[in-house]
Amino acid sequence: MVQVKDSQLLDAETFARLHAQAHQETEVKRIALVASKGTLDMAYPPLILATTAAAMGQEAAIFFTFYGLDILNKKRLARLKVPPLANPAMPVPVPNIVGAIPGMTAMATWMMGRMMRKQKMPTVPQFLDLAKQLRVRLIACTTTMGIMGISKEDLVDGVELQGAAAFLEYASQAQVTLFV
Amino acid sequence: MAEVSIDQVVDTKGELCPMPVVRARLAMDKLRPGQVLQVVATDPASCDDFPAWCRAQKHTLVESRQAQGVYTYLIRKGG
């Protein structure tokens, strides 16, 4: 980057060069998301935003950390659940004492699954496939893998493994960063 | 208006955001610059989403129509 003092007037050539440089720097937009929750309702927002960004020609990456890593876990990603406890936004409001009854999590999950199918929303595995097709980078947090005893073989294909420093370097060049 | 020849049609009726745009993108990837994609949608968010997508992807939104809740977009591939 060229430093320009406030008082310094720019000649046309310098202006054109700086303008071109700035334009180039912002031409490819980038979005960096963190997915930290392993529930069905919280798996959708990062997958939706990242695939949309990629469909718009932006670079997109999702960093899956802590329970968010379940979204990439082959054994778990098709079985993510909706928690009815402490969730006042359920379509049919459920008092917490009822939400705590065994079977209510399955019920809440079934309800959301039915709503999603009715609106033809892709499932989480289908969204992951779309994301890969659109070259969204799916990054598994290596620390979470260590803590939870998860190996690369437990995760879907096409996942990158990264630490926080590498992801932050990527995110520091992003125009949009969101923590989900 | 002159007839625009359509090279590919994507039907996203009944699907919600972001699927119309995502499906359009996947279909557009298979077209050449200058070819025209027709997208049919019922998602009201598509009214804003397709102009935004076209600006971001440098495609031309040739035409957008709405009749009885069905939106039809003609998009010429840029590049």
Side-chain angles (χ1 to χ4, degrees), chain A residues 52 54-57 119-120 122, chain B residues 13-14 18-19 25-26 53 57:
Chain A
T52 308
M56 294 180 79
Q119 299 301 333
K120 296 192 188 172
Chain B
K13 284 202 289 285
M19 296 321 294
R25 164 65 197 252
L26 293 173
W53 181 66
Q57 290 277 274

Side-chain angles (χ1 to χ4, degrees), chain A residues 27 48 51-52 54-57 118-122 127 130 133-135, chain B residues 13-19 21-23 25-26 29 52-53 56-58:
Chain A
E27 189 144 49
I48 288 174
T51 48
T52 308
M56 294 180 79
K118 212 169 146 191
Q119 299 301 333
K120 296 192 188 172
M121 269 314 243
F127 247 118
L130 282 170
Q133 246 179 296
L134 292 163
R135 292 196 209 87
Chain B
K13 284 202 289 285
E15 292 192 280
L16 293 177
C17 162
M19 296 321 294
V21 161
V22 168
R23 294 207 189 288
R25 164 65 197 252
L26 293 173
D29 282 350
W53 181 66
Q57 290 277 274
K58 312 262 191 288

